[in-house]
Amino acid sequence: MVGYNRFNRLFVIIFLVVILSFGSSVFGADWLTFKGGLTRTSLTNEIIVPPIRKVEWTINTGFPISMSPVSKGDFVYFGTEGGTTDSTFYCLLKGKKIWEFPNDKLRSFTDKRTGEKPWPNGAMDFDRTSLKISPTIYEKKVYLPWGSMLLILNYESGNLIDYLDLKDFGHTGSINTSPLIHSNHKLIICGSTNGYLYGFDIELREPLIRWRIPEGSGTGGTISSSVAYYNRQIFFGSTSKMFYSYELTYAGSDGVKAGALPTKNWEVKLDGQISQTPAVVGSKVVITTRDGYVYCISTSTGDIIWQKNTASRIDASPVISGSYVIIVAGKNIKCFNIEDGSQKWSSALGEMCYGTPAANSQYAYVTCNDGKFYVYQLSNGFKACTKKIGSPIRSSPCVSNNRIMFGAQNGIFYALVTGDEPAKVQCSKSEIDIPIIYNDETLEYKAFFVDNVGGETLTGSVSFSRKWVTTTNSSFNISSDDGQQILIRFDANGQVEGKYKIMMKVDTNGGEVNIPITVNIVKRPDTIINLMLGSQSININGQPIMIEAAPWKTDSGTVMAPLRVITEAFGCNVSWQAETRSVKLIYAKKDIEITVRIGNQVAYIEYSNGLKSPQIMPHPPEIVENRTFVPLEFISRAFDAEITNLGSGNYMIRVRHN
């Protein structure tokens, strides 16, 4: 231990007790700060055995939750992204809201430094901010970053005890990291968006700011990296790509002497921006960069022991459990050996992961933006179980009192425990609105999914209140935490115009859901095409379309028009047959197939009954600038289009659909 001979044995014992009780969550069930403890390893001694699919309780806040929660006993604390008007910080006890902040108790709060009441109208006066930075619990207080302020709340009542504001010191920026609080150093340590790391007095005595590092202009970037602590050393990084180690001194009874800066041990420039929080164990500290690099660095010298390039963006912080280093990179979770950086295993996730996993000696617990919670075995990367939430999850999990807790972007906060649940249905839509379907078409709707958010197998069927609405998935079997797309087909051909109310029934062994569908069937308007000889712009229903070559008139007076752009405008499927140098057009409205061949004046129209009728064109088709041109009058005859000569080389083509 650095400086051991400067302290008597009793003091060292007290110091170790502090570290063992708060420095790392591996020694207790509480999750008191971001990543659980001051070493920021995300390690817990609680082994919650899969399957972990049972929802013990939830609470719906109505706003997205990205903040990683903290917990002490059965109390859990988290905030929402309600922006500048509705963001709220919550305290729950076993799933029941105990208090929220801001609250009207702010009316009676008196600033002890000014003697004033800053918020006489309570919560109404209190400026909101989108809450994403985890608080820290220390001695029955919650230390909560709130924009440029650090709030100190009573952890049982939610009353504001005290606060500090960077703006009061003429400093710009917001407090951007989970506070590190240490009684031996009598400090609250926070990073800021202004590029400085602050050491505030633990009791907010004057001077409130005991020091600010790095000296000079700060890091030159933003500090989003919460500080990791081990053996009087602190470790943090910056978006300037710099990674730092400083040594703290123990404070006297009055705190750290103002202006007495921590001693810089070393700094190292890495290969990418550092937004993540390091994890430290003994002689090694592990850090990642947003650009996908993983570094293991000596805590004493700053030398890089090993580094890995995952070739994927990293938005989550590293986790250490024994010899395992767990990294979420891109859409993969990877495990490296802490001694030499060799990869032990890698497993695919469904999406990017923004939350930092939690781990114990056997499992890693992972939240993912694909709306699933995963459990992996550390020894081999085997996926032990998944739990489908059905909403993107950006909050890191908190492990406390045999629960795994996190928030989701749907505004719901979840507490999961060991166990399974019966099959449970969840639908991706509560209602469906189809603004327009033309009465000559069949529309396929592909944005509806049925999920099994419970256990076992979800069996069920889908039915509709109208016969012209059908699905290819009339029955299904969906395994736990899986889902299935339900393709809905609306056959509006020949239907009378108007709005239709349709009920879709999803009937399963995990519940019944009725989805109202509104469909507006209208007549398809005529297709109007305007073209001009010599112009490479064709106007289709009022929209100009550029073509490679302009229409022209042959010596015999035949107007030649581009085939594909015109016929696709009114619903033809067009394909080029290279081997025969011909174009095939399928016109579903009339159930005909038309073939024209380059250089051949004879075209063929084939009907659904097999009859093939030859059509003589006044001029053979030609290719100009890789586009097929045919006589305009052929388009009129083949597709019942009305051609109007508007004069001066202008022609209008009208195709009636009703």
Side-chain angles (χ1 to χ4, degrees):
M1 175 180 287
V2 177
Y4 175 85
N5 59 0
R6 286 180 283 173
F7 305 97
N8 61 37
R9 183 179 301 274
L10 177 60
F11 189 87
V12 172
I13 292 173
I14 294 172
F15 170 73
L16 289 174
V17 168
V18 170
I19 294 297
L20 293 180
S21 62
F22 183 58
S24 175
S25 62
V26 72
F27 299 107
D30 294 329
W31 197 269
L32 301 174
T33 188
F34 179 59
K35 298 183 73 178
L38 298 189
T39 56
R40 310 288 187 184
T41 58
S42 292
L43 189 62
T44 175
N45 65 341
E46 292 195 57
I47 298 178
I48 304 178
V49 179
I52 307 171
R53 297 194 186 99
K54 188 174 181 180
V55 178
E56 184 180 32
W57 49 260
T58 63
I59 185 170
N60 190 348
T61 68
F63 294 96
I65 304 169
S66 295
M67 178 188 286
S68 303
V70 296
S71 179
K72 182 172 180 60
D74 285 325
F75 289 92
V76 62
Y77 305 84
F78 66 93
T80 65
E81 295 180 61
T84 58
T85 56
D86 295 303
S87 54
T88 305
F89 187 72
Y90 291 93
C91 169
L92 308 182
L93 177 61
K94 295 184 178 180
K96 303 297 182 182
K97 185 176 75 173
I98 303 301
W99 53 261
E100 65 181 51
F101 185 90
N103 51 52
D104 282 341
K105 295 177 182 177
L106 283 165
R107 296 175 189 272
S108 58
F109 173 79
T110 301
D111 188 331
K112 63 184 180 182
R113 287 175 287 276
T114 66
E116 298 177 351
K117 293 186 176 182
W119 303 284
N121 294 315
M124 186 183 303
D125 287 345
F126 201 82
D127 290 337
R128 305 293 181 99
T129 185
S130 192
L131 297 176
K132 296 183 181 180
I133 311 301
S134 296
T136 294
I137 303 172
Y138 181 78
E139 290 188 346
K140 296 187 177 182
K141 298 174 185 176
V142 178
Y143 292 77
L144 174 63
W146 192 286
S148 62
M149 296 189 291
L150 178 68
L151 308 181
I152 303 177
L153 308 176
N154 181 290
Y155 89 129
E156 292 179 327
S157 67
N159 289 347
L160 181 63
I161 299 171
D162 209 340
Y163 76 101
L164 61 84
D165 193 335
L166 293 181
K167 293 178 182 177
D168 291 343
F169 305 97
H171 296 185
T172 60
S174 300
I175 294 176
N176 207 37
T177 67
S178 186
L180 184 154
I181 304 171
H182 208 293
S183 60
N184 286 347
H185 304 292
K186 300 191 184 305
L187 288 172
I188 308 166
I189 302 175
C190 298
S192 172
T193 55
N194 63 24
Y196 286 100
L197 190 73
Y198 288 85
F200 302 116
D201 184 83
I202 198 169
E203 297 177 17
L204 299 193
R205 298 167 296 190
E206 295 293 344
L208 272 66
I209 299 177
R210 297 291 176 163
W211 48 256
R212 189 174 72 157
I213 56 174
E215 293 184 88
S217 58
T219 65
T222 294
I223 300 179
S224 303
S225 169
S226 295
V227 175
Y229 176 94
Y230 178 75
N231 200 18
R232 291 171 51 188
Q233 280 182 275
I234 56 173
F235 306 90
F236 64 97
S238 165
T239 56
S240 65
K241 303 183 181 181
M242 297 302 297
F243 189 60
Y244 301 89
S245 168
Y246 282 79
E247 185 166 336
L248 304 178
T249 57
Y250 291 126
S253 59
D254 294 330
V256 178
K257 183 179 179 181
L261 296 177
T263 303
K264 181 162 54 176
N265 293 322
W266 47 260
E267 64 179 45
V268 59
K269 189 165 187 177
L270 303 181
D271 291 321
Q273 294 185 349
I274 304 167
S275 299
Q276 296 75 36
T277 296
V280 57
V281 172
S283 62
K284 298 178 180 67
V285 58
V286 177
I287 187 62
T288 59
T289 69
R290 188 178 296 172
D291 298 340
Y293 288 88
V294 184
Y295 296 89
C296 180
I297 298 173
S298 166
T299 56
S300 59
T301 66
D303 294 333
I304 296 174
I305 300 171
W306 55 262
Q307 70 181 69
K308 294 289 180 181
N309 183 1
T310 67
S312 299
R313 178 183 169 110
I314 298 177
D315 289 286
S317 300
V319 175
I320 299 176
S321 174
S323 64
Y324 300 101
V325 176
I326 301 112
I327 303 291
V328 177
K331 297 181 181 180
N332 295 279
I333 179 170
K334 298 177 180 290
C335 183
F336 299 96
N337 187 309
I338 196 170
E339 298 301 328
D340 58 13
S342 59
Q343 184 171 296
K344 296 190 175 198
W345 52 263
S346 177
S347 185
L349 294 163
E351 249 299 341
M352 292 286 292
C353 185
Y354 299 99
T356 296
N360 53 36
S361 60
Q362 298 182 31
Y363 302 103
Y365 307 112
V366 185
T367 54
C368 186
N369 207 48
D370 64 358
K372 290 185 178 181
F373 166 74
Y374 297 86
V375 181
Y376 289 91
Q377 286 186 1
L378 285 186
S379 59
N380 54 19
F382 174 75
K383 191 185 299 181
C385 81
T386 60
K387 170 66 178 177
K388 189 163 189 174
I389 299 302
S391 172
I393 310 170
R394 299 193 173 191
S395 162
S396 304
C398 152
V399 183
S400 180
N401 271 24
N402 295 309
R403 301 182 187 95
I404 296 178
M405 294 172 286
F406 53 84
Q409 293 298 291
N410 60 4
I412 300 177
F413 190 84
Y414 296 84
L416 304 182
V417 294
T418 295
D420 220 330
E421 292 183 324
K424 184 179 180 182
V425 65
Q426 178 175 287
C427 297
S428 62
K429 305 278 185 181
S430 58
E431 59 182 350
I432 297 172
D433 183 28
I434 310 294
I436 291 179
I437 299 182
Y438 294 120
N439 65 349
D440 64 349
E441 71 172 336
T442 297
L443 176 72
E444 290 188 342
Y445 183 83
K446 300 179 180 179
F448 185 78
F449 296 82
V450 172
D451 296 314
N452 179 8
V453 294
E456 303 172 348
T457 299
L458 182 75
T459 61
S461 61
V462 176
S463 58
F464 303 90
S465 60
R466 293 189 182 268
K467 292 183 178 179
W468 49 272
V469 185
T470 58
T471 179
T472 55
N473 314 92
S474 56
S475 61
F476 52 78
N477 294 281
I478 303 175
S479 59
S480 177
D481 301 314
D482 205 350
Q484 184 170 319
Q485 180 190 61
I486 305 296
L487 187 147
I488 306 171
R489 182 176 288 111
F490 299 91
D491 184 1
N493 285 279
Q495 297 297 326
V496 177
E497 290 182 273
K499 282 196 173 183
Y500 292 81
K501 299 292 185 180
I502 302 159
M503 187 60 70
M504 176 170 62
K505 181 180 179 182
V506 182
D507 191 10
T508 76
N509 63 333
E512 178 183 305
V513 181
N514 291 299
I515 311 293
I517 303 174
T518 302
V519 176
N520 185 26
I521 297 180
V522 300
K523 289 183 179 180
R524 185 186 295 274
D526 296 346
T527 299
I528 306 294
I529 303 169
N530 293 94
L531 60 83
M532 177 183 287
L533 298 180
S535 173
Q536 289 180 248
S537 177
I538 289 183
N539 194 292
I540 299 174
N541 292 332
Q543 298 297 318
I545 304 293
M546 296 303 297
I547 54 176
E548 290 83 350
W552 81 94
K553 187 180 285 188
T554 68
D555 293 340
S556 62
T558 300
V559 176
M560 300 295 287
L563 179 63
R564 179 185 289 270
V565 69
I566 291 176
T567 55
E568 284 186 342
F570 52 78
C572 278
N573 182 280
V574 185
S575 60
W576 168 251
Q577 314 290 311
E579 63 278 5
T580 59
R581 287 176 57 80
S582 61
V583 178
K584 181 176 289 187
L585 304 99
I586 298 174
Y587 191 27
K589 176 188 171 184
K590 289 198 167 187
D591 203 10
I592 59 175
E593 185 177 293
I594 301 170
T595 304
V596 300
R597 182 174 294 179
I598 303 303
N600 192 332
Q601 285 184 248
V602 181
Y604 291 92
I605 300 177
E606 186 174 350
Y607 298 91
S608 58
N609 60 7
L611 177 65
K612 185 178 288 187
S613 172
Q615 300 286 319
I616 307 299
M617 292 181 282
H619 191 87
E622 294 185 24
I623 293 179
V624 180
E625 297 291 341
N626 294 318
R627 293 297 177 188
T628 300
F629 281 75
V630 298
L632 188 58
E633 71 171 62
F634 167 72
I635 293 175
S636 172
R637 283 189 282 120
F639 301 101
D640 291 335
E642 300 172 6
I643 310 295
T644 303
N645 186 346
L646 301 176
S648 302
N650 288 294
Y651 293 85
M652 182 179 74
I653 306 166
R654 180 190 294 271
V655 180
R656 299 189 185 276
H657 297 288
N658 290 281

